[in-house]
PDB file of all heavy atoms in Angstrom:
ATOM      1  N   ARG A  10       6.636  11.162  -4.671  1.00 61.00           N
ATOM      2  CA  ARG A  10       6.607  10.769  -6.080  1.00 61.00           C
ATOM      3  C   ARG A  10       6.180  11.944  -6.964  1.00 61.00           C
ATOM      4  O   ARG A  10       6.680  12.121  -8.077  1.00 61.00           O
ATOM      5  CB  ARG A  10       5.670   9.579  -6.271  1.00 61.00           C
ATOM      6  CG  ARG A  10       5.743   9.000  -7.690  1.00 61.00           C
ATOM      7  CD  ARG A  10       4.986   7.699  -7.842  1.00 61.00           C
ATOM      8  NE  ARG A  10       3.561   7.894  -7.648  1.00 61.00           N
ATOM      9  CZ  ARG A  10       2.817   7.251  -6.752  1.00 61.00           C
ATOM     10  NH1 ARG A  10       3.362   6.364  -5.953  1.00 61.00           N
ATOM     11  NH2 ARG A  10       1.528   7.479  -6.654  1.00 61.00           N
ATOM     12  N   VAL A  40       6.240  17.856  30.622  1.00 96.00           N
ATOM     13  CA  VAL A  40       5.289  18.964  30.690  1.00 96.00           C
ATOM     14  C   VAL A  40       5.252  19.484  32.121  1.00 96.00           C
ATOM     15  O   VAL A  40       5.148  18.713  33.076  1.00 96.00           O
ATOM     16  CB  VAL A  40       3.889  18.512  30.231  1.00 96.00           C
ATOM     17  CG1 VAL A  40       2.849  19.595  30.472  1.00 96.00           C
ATOM     18  CG2 VAL A  40       3.924  18.124  28.755  1.00 96.00           C
ATOM     19  N   LEU A  69      -5.488  23.437  23.918  1.00 98.00           N
ATOM     20  CA  LEU A  69      -6.104  22.630  22.878  1.00 98.00           C
ATOM     21  C   LEU A  69      -7.613  22.804  22.991  1.00 98.00           C
ATOM     22  O   LEU A  69      -8.197  22.519  24.042  1.00 98.00           O
ATOM     23  CB  LEU A  69      -5.735  21.154  23.043  1.00 98.00           C
ATOM     24  CG  LEU A  69      -4.251  20.825  23.233  1.00 98.00           C
ATOM     25  CD1 LEU A  69      -4.064  19.311  23.333  1.00 98.00           C
ATOM     26  CD2 LEU A  69      -3.395  21.413  22.143  1.00 98.00           C
ATOM     27  N   LEU A  70      -8.235  23.279  21.905  1.00 98.00           N
ATOM     28  CA  LEU A  70      -9.660  23.627  21.922  1.00 98.00           C
ATOM     29  C   LEU A  70     -10.407  22.794  20.881  1.00 98.00           C
ATOM     30  O   LEU A  70     -10.500  23.179  19.709  1.00 98.00           O
ATOM     31  CB  LEU A  70      -9.835  25.124  21.639  1.00 98.00           C
ATOM     32  CG  LEU A  70      -9.053  26.073  22.561  1.00 98.00           C
ATOM     33  CD1 LEU A  70      -9.218  27.522  22.105  1.00 98.00           C
ATOM     34  CD2 LEU A  70      -9.488  25.896  24.012  1.00 98.00           C
ATOM     35  N   GLY A  74     -11.381  23.561  16.839  1.00 98.00           N
ATOM     36  CA  GLY A  74     -10.360  22.984  15.970  1.00 98.00           C
ATOM     37  C   GLY A  74      -9.071  23.776  15.993  1.00 98.00           C
ATOM     38  O   GLY A  74      -8.418  23.945  14.954  1.00 98.00           O
ATOM     39  N   LEU A  75      -8.679  24.236  17.190  1.00 98.00           N
ATOM     40  CA  LEU A  75      -7.503  25.107  17.305  1.00 98.00           C
ATOM     41  C   LEU A  75      -6.599  24.687  18.452  1.00 98.00           C
ATOM     42  O   LEU A  75      -7.066  24.161  19.473  1.00 98.00           O
ATOM     43  CB  LEU A  75      -7.929  26.561  17.555  1.00 98.00           C
ATOM     44  CG  LEU A  75      -8.700  27.276  16.445  1.00 98.00           C
ATOM     45  CD1 LEU A  75      -9.153  28.648  16.943  1.00 98.00           C
ATOM     46  CD2 LEU A  75      -7.871  27.404  15.179  1.00 98.00           C
ATOM     47  N   TYR A  81       7.554  31.748  24.410  1.00 91.00           N
ATOM     48  CA  TYR A  81       8.515  32.580  25.142  1.00 91.00           C
ATOM     49  C   TYR A  81       9.853  32.435  24.436  1.00 91.00           C
ATOM     50  O   TYR A  81      10.370  31.335  24.292  1.00 91.00           O
ATOM     51  CB  TYR A  81       8.592  32.133  26.607  1.00 91.00           C
ATOM     52  CG  TYR A  81       7.282  32.328  27.317  1.00 91.00           C
ATOM     53  CD1 TYR A  81       6.329  31.321  27.325  1.00 91.00           C
ATOM     54  CD2 TYR A  81       6.975  33.533  27.937  1.00 91.00           C
ATOM     55  CE1 TYR A  81       5.107  31.505  27.943  1.00 91.00           C
ATOM     56  CE2 TYR A  81       5.749  33.730  28.571  1.00 91.00           C
ATOM     57  CZ  TYR A  81       4.824  32.704  28.557  1.00 91.00           C
ATOM     58  OH  TYR A  81       3.611  32.896  29.165  1.00 91.00           O
ATOM     59  N   HIS A  83      13.891  33.156  23.278  1.00 87.00           N
ATOM     60  CA  HIS A  83      15.238  33.488  23.745  1.00 87.00           C
ATOM     61  C   HIS A  83      15.528  34.932  23.342  1.00 87.00           C
ATOM     62  O   HIS A  83      14.994  35.420  22.342  1.00 87.00           O
ATOM     63  CB  HIS A  83      16.276  32.560  23.112  1.00 87.00           C
ATOM     64  CG  HIS A  83      16.204  31.142  23.606  1.00 87.00           C
ATOM     65  ND1 HIS A  83      16.363  30.817  24.941  1.00 87.00           N
ATOM     66  CD2 HIS A  83      16.007  29.967  22.945  1.00 87.00           C
ATOM     67  CE1 HIS A  83      16.270  29.507  25.081  1.00 87.00           C
ATOM     68  NE2 HIS A  83      16.042  28.977  23.895  1.00 87.00           N
ATOM     69  N   HIS A  86      15.255  36.800  19.646  1.00 79.00           N
ATOM     70  CA  HIS A  86      14.578  35.934  18.677  1.00 79.00           C
ATOM     71  C   HIS A  86      13.066  36.142  18.635  1.00 79.00           C
ATOM     72  O   HIS A  86      12.364  35.394  17.943  1.00 79.00           O
ATOM     73  CB  HIS A  86      14.881  34.465  18.984  1.00 79.00           C
ATOM     74  CG  HIS A  86      16.303  34.093  18.753  1.00 79.00           C
ATOM     75  ND1 HIS A  86      16.810  33.800  17.501  1.00 79.00           N
ATOM     76  CD2 HIS A  86      17.346  33.992  19.612  1.00 79.00           C
ATOM     77  CE1 HIS A  86      18.092  33.524  17.595  1.00 79.00           C
ATOM     78  NE2 HIS A  86      18.450  33.628  18.867  1.00 79.00           N
ATOM     79  N   PHE A  90       4.257  38.781  16.998  1.00 90.00           N
ATOM     80  CA  PHE A  90       2.875  38.366  17.240  1.00 90.00           C
ATOM     81  C   PHE A  90       2.772  37.907  18.689  1.00 90.00           C
ATOM     82  O   PHE A  90       3.781  37.607  19.333  1.00 90.00           O
ATOM     83  CB  PHE A  90       2.413  37.272  16.270  1.00 90.00           C
ATOM     84  CG  PHE A  90       3.252  36.031  16.272  1.00 90.00           C
ATOM     85  CD1 PHE A  90       3.068  35.041  17.222  1.00 90.00           C
ATOM     86  CD2 PHE A  90       4.226  35.843  15.305  1.00 90.00           C
ATOM     87  CE1 PHE A  90       3.837  33.895  17.224  1.00 90.00           C
ATOM     88  CE2 PHE A  90       5.002  34.690  15.298  1.00 90.00           C
ATOM     89  CZ  PHE A  90       4.806  33.719  16.259  1.00 90.00           C
ATOM     90  N   GLN A 105      -4.976  10.576  27.647  1.00 97.00           N
ATOM     91  CA  GLN A 105      -4.132  10.989  26.530  1.00 97.00           C
ATOM     92  C   GLN A 105      -4.947  11.796  25.525  1.00 97.00           C
ATOM     93  O   GLN A 105      -6.054  11.399  25.167  1.00 97.00           O
ATOM     94  CB  GLN A 105      -3.552   9.733  25.852  1.00 97.00           C
ATOM     95  CG  GLN A 105      -2.399  10.002  24.927  1.00 97.00           C
ATOM     96  CD  GLN A 105      -1.799   8.709  24.396  1.00 97.00           C
ATOM     97  OE1 GLN A 105      -2.213   8.188  23.370  1.00 97.00           O
ATOM     98  NE2 GLN A 105      -0.822   8.172  25.119  1.00 97.00           N
ATOM     99  N   ARG A 118      -1.590  39.331  16.299  1.00 96.00           N
ATOM    100  CA  ARG A 118      -1.104  40.472  17.080  1.00 96.00           C
ATOM    101  C   ARG A 118      -2.322  40.980  17.831  1.00 96.00           C
ATOM    102  O   ARG A 118      -3.242  41.545  17.240  1.00 96.00           O
ATOM    103  CB  ARG A 118      -0.514  41.543  16.173  1.00 96.00           C
ATOM    104  CG  ARG A 118       0.758  41.098  15.467  1.00 96.00           C
ATOM    105  CD  ARG A 118       1.260  42.147  14.513  1.00 96.00           C
ATOM    106  NE  ARG A 118       1.648  43.355  15.233  1.00 96.00           N
ATOM    107  CZ  ARG A 118       1.769  44.553  14.656  1.00 96.00           C
ATOM    108  NH1 ARG A 118       1.515  44.713  13.367  1.00 96.00           N
ATOM    109  NH2 ARG A 118       2.131  45.603  15.368  1.00 96.00           N
ATOM    110  N   LEU A 125      -3.368  34.820   8.244  1.00 97.00           N
ATOM    111  CA  LEU A 125      -3.508  33.404   7.931  1.00 97.00           C
ATOM    112  C   LEU A 125      -2.263  32.951   7.190  1.00 97.00           C
ATOM    113  O   LEU A 125      -1.874  33.546   6.179  1.00 97.00           O
ATOM    114  CB  LEU A 125      -4.764  33.165   7.087  1.00 97.00           C
ATOM    115  CG  LEU A 125      -5.108  31.725   6.735  1.00 97.00           C
ATOM    116  CD1 LEU A 125      -5.341  30.884   7.987  1.00 97.00           C
ATOM    117  CD2 LEU A 125      -6.340  31.686   5.834  1.00 97.00           C
ATOM    118  N   ALA A 142     -11.045  15.222   1.408  1.00 96.00           N
ATOM    119  CA  ALA A 142     -11.907  16.386   1.170  1.00 96.00           C
ATOM    120  C   ALA A 142     -12.629  16.835   2.435  1.00 96.00           C
ATOM    121  O   ALA A 142     -12.712  18.033   2.722  1.00 96.00           O
ATOM    122  CB  ALA A 142     -12.911  16.073   0.061  1.00 96.00           C
ATOM    123  N   ALA A 145     -10.135  18.525   4.796  1.00 97.00           N
ATOM    124  CA  ALA A 145      -9.720  19.828   4.254  1.00 97.00           C
ATOM    125  C   ALA A 145     -10.825  20.862   4.435  1.00 97.00           C
ATOM    126  O   ALA A 145     -10.554  22.012   4.808  1.00 97.00           O
ATOM    127  CB  ALA A 145      -9.356  19.685   2.781  1.00 97.00           C
ATOM    128  N   ALA A 154     -13.534  30.557  10.411  1.00 98.00           N
ATOM    129  CA  ALA A 154     -14.261  30.966  11.618  1.00 98.00           C
ATOM    130  C   ALA A 154     -13.354  31.756  12.546  1.00 98.00           C
ATOM    131  O   ALA A 154     -13.786  32.748  13.157  1.00 98.00           O
ATOM    132  CB  ALA A 154     -14.824  29.739  12.332  1.00 98.00           C
ATOM    133  N   LEU A 159     -12.103  36.727  14.980  1.00 98.00           N
ATOM    134  CA  LEU A 159     -11.118  37.713  15.439  1.00 98.00           C
ATOM    135  C   LEU A 159     -11.395  39.084  14.845  1.00 98.00           C
ATOM    136  O   LEU A 159     -11.326  40.099  15.543  1.00 98.00           O
ATOM    137  CB  LEU A 159      -9.707  37.237  15.072  1.00 98.00           C
ATOM    138  CG  LEU A 159      -9.178  36.088  15.924  1.00 98.00           C
ATOM    139  CD1 LEU A 159      -7.994  35.411  15.240  1.00 98.00           C
ATOM    140  CD2 LEU A 159      -8.774  36.589  17.311  1.00 98.00           C
ATOM    141  N   ARG A 161     -14.257  40.331  13.827  1.00 98.00           N
ATOM    142  CA  ARG A 161     -15.468  40.914  14.417  1.00 98.00           C
ATOM    143  C   ARG A 161     -15.245  41.395  15.841  1.00 98.00           C
ATOM    144  O   ARG A 161     -16.019  42.198  16.347  1.00 98.00           O
ATOM    145  CB  ARG A 161     -16.619  39.905  14.375  1.00 98.00           C
ATOM    146  CG  ARG A 161     -17.226  39.734  12.992  1.00 98.00           C
ATOM    147  CD  ARG A 161     -18.457  38.855  12.972  1.00 98.00           C
ATOM    148  NE  ARG A 161     -18.148  37.455  13.272  1.00 98.00           N
ATOM    149  CZ  ARG A 161     -18.369  36.859  14.436  1.00 98.00           C
ATOM    150  NH1 ARG A 161     -18.917  37.521  15.438  1.00 98.00           N
ATOM    151  NH2 ARG A 161     -18.070  35.590  14.618  1.00 98.00           N
ATOM    152  N   HIS A 162     -14.178  40.919  16.475  1.00 98.00           N
ATOM    153  CA  HIS A 162     -13.859  41.334  17.847  1.00 98.00           C
ATOM    154  C   HIS A 162     -12.600  42.192  17.901  1.00 98.00           C
ATOM    155  O   HIS A 162     -11.910  42.243  18.902  1.00 98.00           O
ATOM    156  CB  HIS A 162     -13.712  40.096  18.740  1.00 98.00           C
ATOM    157  CG  HIS A 162     -14.998  39.385  18.972  1.00 98.00           C
ATOM    158  ND1 HIS A 162     -15.526  38.475  18.079  1.00 98.00           N
ATOM    159  CD2 HIS A 162     -15.887  39.455  19.997  1.00 98.00           C
ATOM    160  CE1 HIS A 162     -16.668  38.011  18.543  1.00 98.00           C
ATOM    161  NE2 HIS A 162     -16.917  38.588  19.697  1.00 98.00           N
ATOM    162  N   GLN A 163     -12.320  42.879  16.790  1.00 98.00           N
ATOM    163  CA  GLN A 163     -11.169  43.779  16.701  1.00 98.00           C
ATOM    164  C   GLN A 163      -9.867  43.074  17.099  1.00 98.00           C
ATOM    165  O   GLN A 163      -8.995  43.650  17.733  1.00 98.00           O
ATOM    166  CB  GLN A 163     -11.372  45.043  17.556  1.00 98.00           C
ATOM    167  CG  GLN A 163     -12.475  45.974  17.065  1.00 98.00           C
ATOM    168  CD  GLN A 163     -13.863  45.435  17.346  1.00 98.00           C
ATOM    169  OE1 GLN A 163     -14.178  45.058  18.477  1.00 98.00           O
ATOM    170  NE2 GLN A 163     -14.699  45.380  16.325  1.00 98.00           N
ATOM    171  N   GLU A 176     -12.672  30.713  28.367  1.00 96.00           N
ATOM    172  CA  GLU A 176     -11.879  31.704  29.119  1.00 96.00           C
ATOM    173  C   GLU A 176     -10.500  31.100  29.357  1.00 96.00           C
ATOM    174  O   GLU A 176     -10.321  30.214  30.188  1.00 96.00           O
ATOM    175  CB  GLU A 176     -12.555  32.014  30.446  1.00 96.00           C
ATOM    176  CG  GLU A 176     -11.865  33.096  31.249  1.00 96.00           C
ATOM    177  CD  GLU A 176     -12.155  34.502  30.738  1.00 96.00           C
ATOM    178  OE1 GLU A 176     -13.314  34.809  30.439  1.00 96.00           O
ATOM    179  OE2 GLU A 176     -11.190  35.292  30.642  1.00 96.00           O
ATOM    180  N   LEU A 187      13.184  20.823  33.847  1.00 43.00           N
ATOM    181  CA  LEU A 187      12.284  20.215  34.823  1.00 43.00           C
ATOM    182  C   LEU A 187      12.761  18.828  35.229  1.00 43.00           C
ATOM    183  O   LEU A 187      13.284  18.065  34.420  1.00 43.00           O
ATOM    184  CB  LEU A 187      10.890  20.058  34.210  1.00 43.00           C
ATOM    185  CG  LEU A 187      10.114  21.354  34.000  1.00 43.00           C
ATOM    186  CD1 LEU A 187       8.894  21.064  33.172  1.00 43.00           C
ATOM    187  CD2 LEU A 187       9.716  21.929  35.333  1.00 43.00           C
ATOM    188  N   GLU A 190       9.314  15.496  39.295  1.00 39.00           N
ATOM    189  CA  GLU A 190       8.453  15.918  40.408  1.00 39.00           C
ATOM    190  C   GLU A 190       8.116  17.416  40.352  1.00 39.00           C
ATOM    191  O   GLU A 190       7.233  17.894  41.024  1.00 39.00           O
ATOM    192  CB  GLU A 190       9.140  15.646  41.745  1.00 39.00           C
ATOM    193  CG  GLU A 190       9.428  14.177  42.012  1.00 39.00           C
ATOM    194  CD  GLU A 190      10.661  13.668  41.269  1.00 39.00           C
ATOM    195  OE1 GLU A 190      11.578  14.472  41.032  1.00 39.00           O
ATOM    196  OE2 GLU A 190      10.679  12.494  40.927  1.00 39.00           O
TER     197      GLU A 190
END
Side-chain angles (χ1 to χ4, degrees):
R10 188 171 65 237
V40 172
L69 311 182
L70 305 175
L75 295 174
Y81 296 90
H83 290 301
H86 292 279
F90 57 82
Q105 195 175 89
R118 293 176 64 199
L125 183 60
L159 286 163
R161 285 186 292 103
H162 291 83
Q163 293 74 51
E176 184 78 45
L187 289 170
E190 298 79 30

